[in-house]
mmCIF file with all atom_site columns, all heavy atoms in Angstrom:
data_model
loop_
_atom_site.group_PDB
_atom_site.id
_atom_site.type_symbol
_atom_site.label_atom_id
_atom_site.label_alt_id
_atom_site.label_comp_id
_atom_site.label_asym_id
_atom_site.label_entity_id
_atom_site.label_seq_id
_atom_site.pdbx_PDB_ins_code
_atom_site.Cartn_x
_atom_site.Cartn_y
_atom_site.Cartn_z
_atom_site.occupancy
_atom_site.B_iso_or_equiv
_atom_site.pdbx_formal_charge
_atom_site.auth_seq_id
_atom_site.auth_comp_id
_atom_site.auth_asym_id
_atom_site.auth_atom_id
_atom_site.pdbx_PDB_model_num
ATOM 1  N N   . LEU A 1 205 ? 49.580 34.599 -43.548 1.00 85.00 ? 205 LEU A N   1
ATOM 2  C CA  . LEU A 1 205 ? 50.848 34.515 -42.830 1.00 85.00 ? 205 LEU A CA  1
ATOM 3  C C   . LEU A 1 205 ? 52.090 34.545 -43.726 1.00 85.00 ? 205 LEU A C   1
ATOM 4  O O   . LEU A 1 205 ? 53.165 34.896 -43.257 1.00 85.00 ? 205 LEU A O   1
ATOM 5  C CB  . LEU A 1 205 ? 50.879 33.226 -41.986 1.00 85.00 ? 205 LEU A CB  1
ATOM 6  C CG  . LEU A 1 205 ? 49.757 33.060 -40.962 1.00 85.00 ? 205 LEU A CG  1
ATOM 7  C CD1 . LEU A 1 205 ? 49.840 31.689 -40.309 1.00 85.00 ? 205 LEU A CD1 1
ATOM 8  C CD2 . LEU A 1 205 ? 49.816 34.155 -39.910 1.00 85.00 ? 205 LEU A CD2 1
ATOM 9  N N   . VAL A 1 206 ? 51.942 34.162 -45.001 1.00 87.00 ? 206 VAL A N   1
ATOM 10 C CA  . VAL A 1 206 ? 53.110 34.032 -45.883 1.00 87.00 ? 206 VAL A CA  1
ATOM 11 C C   . VAL A 1 206 ? 52.861 34.763 -47.201 1.00 87.00 ? 206 VAL A C   1
ATOM 12 O O   . VAL A 1 206 ? 51.871 34.492 -47.890 1.00 87.00 ? 206 VAL A O   1
ATOM 13 C CB  . VAL A 1 206 ? 53.412 32.537 -46.174 1.00 87.00 ? 206 VAL A CB  1
ATOM 14 C CG1 . VAL A 1 206 ? 54.655 32.424 -47.059 1.00 87.00 ? 206 VAL A CG1 1
ATOM 15 C CG2 . VAL A 1 206 ? 53.610 31.766 -44.885 1.00 87.00 ? 206 VAL A CG2 1
ATOM 16 N N   . ARG A 1 207 ? 53.742 35.649 -47.569 1.00 87.00 ? 207 ARG A N   1
ATOM 17 C CA  . ARG A 1 207 ? 53.615 36.357 -48.832 1.00 87.00 ? 207 ARG A CA  1
ATOM 18 C C   . ARG A 1 207 ? 53.950 35.418 -50.005 1.00 87.00 ? 207 ARG A C   1
ATOM 19 O O   . ARG A 1 207 ? 54.815 34.569 -49.900 1.00 87.00 ? 207 ARG A O   1
ATOM 20 C CB  . ARG A 1 207 ? 54.569 37.558 -48.865 1.00 87.00 ? 207 ARG A CB  1
ATOM 21 C CG  . ARG A 1 207 ? 54.178 38.685 -47.910 1.00 87.00 ? 207 ARG A CG  1
ATOM 22 C CD  . ARG A 1 207 ? 55.142 39.851 -48.037 1.00 87.00 ? 207 ARG A CD  1
ATOM 23 N NE  . ARG A 1 207 ? 54.791 40.930 -47.111 1.00 87.00 ? 207 ARG A NE  1
ATOM 24 C CZ  . ARG A 1 207 ? 55.499 42.047 -46.975 1.00 87.00 ? 207 ARG A CZ  1
ATOM 25 N NH1 . ARG A 1 207 ? 56.593 42.229 -47.716 1.00 87.00 ? 207 ARG A NH1 1
ATOM 26 N NH2 . ARG A 1 207 ? 55.117 42.964 -46.110 1.00 87.00 ? 207 ARG A NH2 1
ATOM 27 N N   . GLY A 1 208 ? 53.251 35.635 -51.111 1.00 87.00 ? 208 GLY A N   1
ATOM 28 C CA  . GLY A 1 208 ? 53.520 34.854 -52.305 1.00 87.00 ? 208 GLY A CA  1
ATOM 29 C C   . GLY A 1 208 ? 52.776 33.539 -52.372 1.00 87.00 ? 208 GLY A C   1
ATOM 30 O O   . GLY A 1 208 ? 52.909 32.795 -53.348 1.00 87.00 ? 208 GLY A O   1
ATOM 31 N N   . VAL A 1 209 ? 51.984 33.232 -51.353 1.00 93.00 ? 209 VAL A N   1
ATOM 32 C CA  . VAL A 1 209 ? 51.203 31.997 -51.321 1.00 93.00 ? 209 VAL A CA  1
ATOM 33 C C   . VAL A 1 209 ? 49.721 32.346 -51.349 1.00 93.00 ? 209 VAL A C   1
ATOM 34 O O   . VAL A 1 209 ? 49.272 33.225 -50.609 1.00 93.00 ? 209 VAL A O   1
ATOM 35 C CB  . VAL A 1 209 ? 51.514 31.171 -50.057 1.00 93.00 ? 209 VAL A CB  1
ATOM 36 C CG1 . VAL A 1 209 ? 50.566 29.972 -49.950 1.00 93.00 ? 209 VAL A CG1 1
ATOM 37 C CG2 . VAL A 1 209 ? 52.958 30.701 -50.062 1.00 93.00 ? 209 VAL A CG2 1
ATOM 38 N N   . VAL A 1 210 ? 48.975 31.689 -52.224 1.00 95.00 ? 210 VAL A N   1
ATOM 39 C CA  . VAL A 1 210 ? 47.527 31.858 -52.281 1.00 95.00 ? 210 VAL A CA  1
ATOM 40 C C   . VAL A 1 210 ? 46.875 30.578 -51.769 1.00 95.00 ? 210 VAL A C   1
ATOM 41 O O   . VAL A 1 210 ? 47.103 29.495 -52.315 1.00 95.00 ? 210 VAL A O   1
ATOM 42 C CB  . VAL A 1 210 ? 47.040 32.149 -53.713 1.00 95.00 ? 210 VAL A CB  1
ATOM 43 C CG1 . VAL A 1 210 ? 45.514 32.213 -53.763 1.00 95.00 ? 210 VAL A CG1 1
ATOM 44 C CG2 . VAL A 1 210 ? 47.635 33.453 -54.226 1.00 95.00 ? 210 VAL A CG2 1
ATOM 45 N N   . ASN A 1 211 ? 46.101 30.673 -50.713 1.00 96.00 ? 211 ASN A N   1
ATOM 46 C CA  . ASN A 1 211 ? 45.443 29.499 -50.143 1.00 96.00 ? 211 ASN A CA  1
ATOM 47 C C   . ASN A 1 211 ? 44.111 29.230 -50.834 1.00 96.00 ? 211 ASN A C   1
ATOM 48 O O   . ASN A 1 211 ? 43.246 30.105 -50.884 1.00 96.00 ? 211 ASN A O   1
ATOM 49 C CB  . ASN A 1 211 ? 45.207 29.690 -48.643 1.00 96.00 ? 211 ASN A CB  1
ATOM 50 C CG  . ASN A 1 211 ? 46.488 29.563 -47.839 1.00 96.00 ? 211 ASN A CG  1
ATOM 51 O OD1 . ASN A 1 211 ? 47.352 28.766 -48.167 1.00 96.00 ? 211 ASN A OD1 1
ATOM 52 N ND2 . ASN A 1 211 ? 46.612 30.355 -46.788 1.00 96.00 ? 211 ASN A ND2 1
ATOM 53 N N   . ILE A 1 212 ? 43.984 28.018 -51.349 1.00 97.00 ? 212 ILE A N   1
ATOM 54 C CA  . ILE A 1 212 ? 42.708 27.553 -51.893 1.00 97.00 ? 212 ILE A CA  1
ATOM 55 C C   . ILE A 1 212 ? 42.151 26.562 -50.880 1.00 97.00 ? 212 ILE A C   1
ATOM 56 O O   . ILE A 1 212 ? 42.832 25.602 -50.521 1.00 97.00 ? 212 ILE A O   1
ATOM 57 C CB  . ILE A 1 212 ? 42.874 26.848 -53.246 1.00 97.00 ? 212 ILE A CB  1
ATOM 58 C CG1 . ILE A 1 212 ? 43.721 27.696 -54.207 1.00 97.00 ? 212 ILE A CG1 1
ATOM 59 C CG2 . ILE A 1 212 ? 41.526 26.533 -53.863 1.00 97.00 ? 212 ILE A CG2 1
ATOM 60 C CD1 . ILE A 1 212 ? 44.157 26.942 -55.448 1.00 97.00 ? 212 ILE A CD1 1
ATOM 61 N N   . SER A 1 213 ? 40.943 26.782 -50.400 1.00 97.00 ? 213 SER A N   1
ATOM 62 C CA  . SER A 1 213 ? 40.402 25.933 -49.343 1.00 97.00 ? 213 SER A CA  1
ATOM 63 C C   . SER A 1 213 ? 38.943 25.584 -49.620 1.00 97.00 ? 213 SER A C   1
ATOM 64 O O   . SER A 1 213 ? 38.160 26.451 -50.023 1.00 97.00 ? 213 SER A O   1
ATOM 65 C CB  . SER A 1 213 ? 40.522 26.646 -47.988 1.00 97.00 ? 213 SER A CB  1
ATOM 66 O OG  . SER A 1 213 ? 40.211 25.772 -46.927 1.00 97.00 ? 213 SER A OG  1
ATOM 67 N N   . CYS A 1 214 ? 38.591 24.316 -49.415 1.00 97.00 ? 214 CYS A N   1
ATOM 68 C CA  . CYS A 1 214 ? 37.223 23.835 -49.641 1.00 97.00 ? 214 CYS A CA  1
ATOM 69 C C   . CYS A 1 214 ? 36.771 22.993 -48.447 1.00 97.00 ? 214 CYS A C   1
ATOM 70 O O   . CYS A 1 214 ? 37.585 22.315 -47.820 1.00 97.00 ? 214 CYS A O   1
ATOM 71 C CB  . CYS A 1 214 ? 37.154 22.979 -50.901 1.00 97.00 ? 214 CYS A CB  1
ATOM 72 S SG  . CYS A 1 214 ? 37.539 23.859 -52.424 1.00 97.00 ? 214 CYS A SG  1
ATOM 73 N N   . PRO A 1 215 ? 35.474 23.008 -48.142 1.00 97.00 ? 215 PRO A N   1
ATOM 74 C CA  . PRO A 1 215 ? 34.962 22.292 -46.964 1.00 97.00 ? 215 PRO A CA  1
ATOM 75 C C   . PRO A 1 215 ? 34.688 20.817 -47.204 1.00 97.00 ? 215 PRO A C   1
ATOM 76 O O   . PRO A 1 215 ? 34.376 20.390 -48.322 1.00 97.00 ? 215 PRO A O   1
ATOM 77 C CB  . PRO A 1 215 ? 33.662 23.039 -46.654 1.00 97.00 ? 215 PRO A CB  1
ATOM 78 C CG  . PRO A 1 215 ? 33.198 23.509 -47.996 1.00 97.00 ? 215 PRO A CG  1
ATOM 79 C CD  . PRO A 1 215 ? 34.424 23.825 -48.787 1.00 97.00 ? 215 PRO A CD  1
ATOM 80 N N   . ILE A 1 216 ? 34.804 20.049 -46.124 1.00 97.00 ? 216 ILE A N   1
ATOM 81 C CA  . ILE A 1 216 ? 34.383 18.654 -46.084 1.00 97.00 ? 216 ILE A CA  1
ATOM 82 C C   . ILE A 1 216 ? 33.181 18.592 -45.144 1.00 97.00 ? 216 ILE A C   1
ATOM 83 O O   . ILE A 1 216 ? 33.216 19.171 -44.053 1.00 97.00 ? 216 ILE A O   1
ATOM 84 C CB  . ILE A 1 216 ? 35.510 17.750 -45.540 1.00 97.00 ? 216 ILE A CB  1
ATOM 85 C CG1 . ILE A 1 216 ? 36.742 17.842 -46.443 1.00 97.00 ? 216 ILE A CG1 1
ATOM 86 C CG2 . ILE A 1 216 ? 35.042 16.299 -45.418 1.00 97.00 ? 216 ILE A CG2 1
ATOM 87 C CD1 . ILE A 1 216 ? 37.995 17.252 -45.824 1.00 97.00 ? 216 ILE A CD1 1
#
Side-chain angles (χ1 to χ4, degrees):
L205 302 174
V206 182
R207 291 182 181 177
V209 173
V210 176
N211 286 324
I212 310 168
S213 190
C214 296
I216 299 167

